[in-house]
Amino acid sequence: MVDIQPVGLRGTTEAGPGATPPDRRAVARRGLRTFTRRDALVLGIMVGIPTLVEVAFIWLPTVAAIALSFFRWDGLSLDSFHFNGVANYAYAFTNSPSFWPAALHTLMWLIFLAVIGTPLGLLLAVLLDQPIRGSRIYQSIFFVPVMLSVALIGVIWQLFYAPDDGLLNNVLGTAGTSRAVNWFGDSSVNLWAALVAATWRHSGYIMILYLAGLKGVDPSLREAAALDGANERQIFFRVVFPAMAPTNVIIVVITVIESLRAFDIVYVINGATNGLELLSALVVQYLVGEGQVIGIGTAFAVILLVVSLVPIVYYLIRTFGKGAQE
């Protein structure tokens, strides 16, 4: 008689009553052998190249800037390269006439975008997330300023705020008269005019990010909250908004960065002077301006870095700390 075995059992040893089953860990180890040296090489390249780029263009310049902030150097001759200790920081905090106005304006810029610009972008995202007609067209209209350079936005708003033939003064009926407001030339109002121009761009950027976050919220969460009797306001603030925690982290980081790196628009308006002094503008003035002083410029840059890290780190600690406790 011919011994016939099932196809799936050919090549295996028949297990008797006292036979030991095969070691599952050995089988798992044999399965891991499919990760070849070539796979390891490709993975190393995919991870290594971005890491090297980040180290070369972010971390090394950051460390170099921190080190240069303790030296005095004009950026031209090595003979002028001398260790200066904390004298650059002492000059920034005590002797620089522009530092404290620039710090105050930078803080006002951050608060304005955080309180006005970012909530406005969130409001636009919530409104355009509704099933309304022409939603994509409205999204494109509000996103147009994001695609423009900040310098071009400054030029556009210069035309809007012009005292003689600007749109705003024409609407107010003061264009070409002595009552015309010089929105960018008057140091008492030009900061607010620049903030409105910056918010025009910032809110469109935030709108797109929050629209993406809203699309990623599970609809069943809204339905469950509605079944429990929650109204639209309660559903958004107690269910939808907390569910967008990853998006909120990104928004906070972007708002801080956008606020502290604001340079182009104020430089286009009046060279970042006469009421529009910002820390970012001081950094550029000392690093690349006439009579450049690299040490003082990098000291301003390090101060700006610390100022930007404080709200970001605080928010991340609170957000992820609260998530870990839950």
Side-chain angles (χ1 to χ4, degrees):
M1 178 180 289
V2 180
D3 185 15
I4 300 177
Q5 296 180 350
V7 175
L9 298 178
R10 289 177 183 174
T12 60
T13 304
E14 184 179 356
T20 304
D23 190 356
R24 294 183 178 178
R25 289 176 295 181
V27 175
R29 284 195 295 270
R30 286 197 296 271
L32 291 176
R33 291 177 185 172
T34 57
F35 190 78
T36 62
R37 291 183 178 179
R38 181 179 179 180
D39 297 332
L41 177 62
V42 172
L43 181 61
I45 293 175
M46 293 175 63
V47 176
I49 292 180
T51 302
L52 290 176
V53 171
E54 183 175 358
V55 170
F57 291 99
I58 296 179
W59 292 108
L60 287 181
T62 301
V63 174
I66 295 174
L68 282 174
S69 66
F70 296 99
F71 289 83
R72 183 172 183 83
W73 185 34
D74 60 4
L76 300 175
S77 172
L78 292 178
D79 295 335
S80 62
F81 191 77
H82 302 290
F83 180 73
N84 209 21
V86 295
N88 294 329
Y89 293 96
Y91 171 80
F93 287 109
T94 59
N95 297 327
S96 175
S98 303
F99 174 76
W100 289 112
L104 177 60
H105 296 162
T106 301
L107 180 61
M108 293 172 62
W109 202 285
L110 174 60
I111 294 174
F112 191 90
L113 289 190
V115 176
I116 304 296
T118 298
L120 179 59
L122 175 59
L123 176 62
L124 293 174
V126 173
L127 293 177
L128 296 180
D129 189 50
Q130 307 298 322
I132 59 176
R133 199 171 190 179
S135 175
R136 296 297 178 87
I137 298 177
Y138 297 136
Q139 292 177 25
S140 301
I141 292 174
F142 288 117
F143 189 70
V144 165
V146 182
M147 298 184 292
L148 303 177
S149 68
V150 182
L152 181 57
I153 290 175
V155 173
I156 293 173
W157 283 87
Q158 273 188 326
L159 299 175
F160 181 82
Y161 284 130
D164 294 330
D165 53 0
L167 176 61
L168 184 56
N169 277 308
N170 272 289
V171 171
L172 296 176
T174 58
T177 67
S178 59
R179 295 182 294 109
V181 179
N182 190 359
W183 297 97
F184 281 161
D186 189 347
S187 60
S188 62
V189 297
N190 57 6
L191 177 63
W192 304 107
L195 283 171
V196 171
T199 301
W200 181 56
R201 179 180 185 274
H202 178 76
S203 59
Y205 191 17
I206 300 301
M207 177 200 69
I208 291 298
L209 294 176
Y210 268 126
L211 274 174
L214 289 170
K215 300 299 183 184
V217 176
D218 190 354
S220 62
L221 296 176
R222 300 173 184 258
E223 296 173 0
L227 291 175
D228 289 339
N231 55 36
E232 289 295 330
R233 180 176 176 275
Q234 292 172 332
I235 291 175
F236 178 78
F237 285 105
R238 298 187 181 182
V239 178
V240 176
F241 192 74
M244 294 192 298
T247 304
N248 293 330
V249 172
I250 297 174
I251 296 297
V252 169
V253 174
I254 288 177
T255 300
V256 174
I257 293 175
E258 287 286 319
S259 304
L260 299 181
R261 74 178 182 89
F263 163 76
D264 309 59
I265 188 168
V266 296
Y267 190 80
V268 170
I269 292 173
N270 63 0
T273 58
N274 189 31
L276 286 178
E277 298 85 357
L278 296 176
L279 287 179
S280 56
L282 290 182
V283 172
V284 176
Q285 290 172 5
Y286 278 98
L287 289 180
V288 300
E290 296 182 4
Q292 58 187 8
V293 183
I294 303 298
I296 296 178
T298 52
F300 279 115
V302 172
I303 294 172
L304 187 60
L305 174 64
V306 173
V307 171
S308 63
L309 287 178
V310 169
I312 293 175
V313 172
Y314 174 75
Y315 182 80
L316 292 178
I317 290 175
R318 286 203 57 183
T319 301
F320 291 106
K322 186 184 299 183
Q325 292 176 1
E326 294 177 355

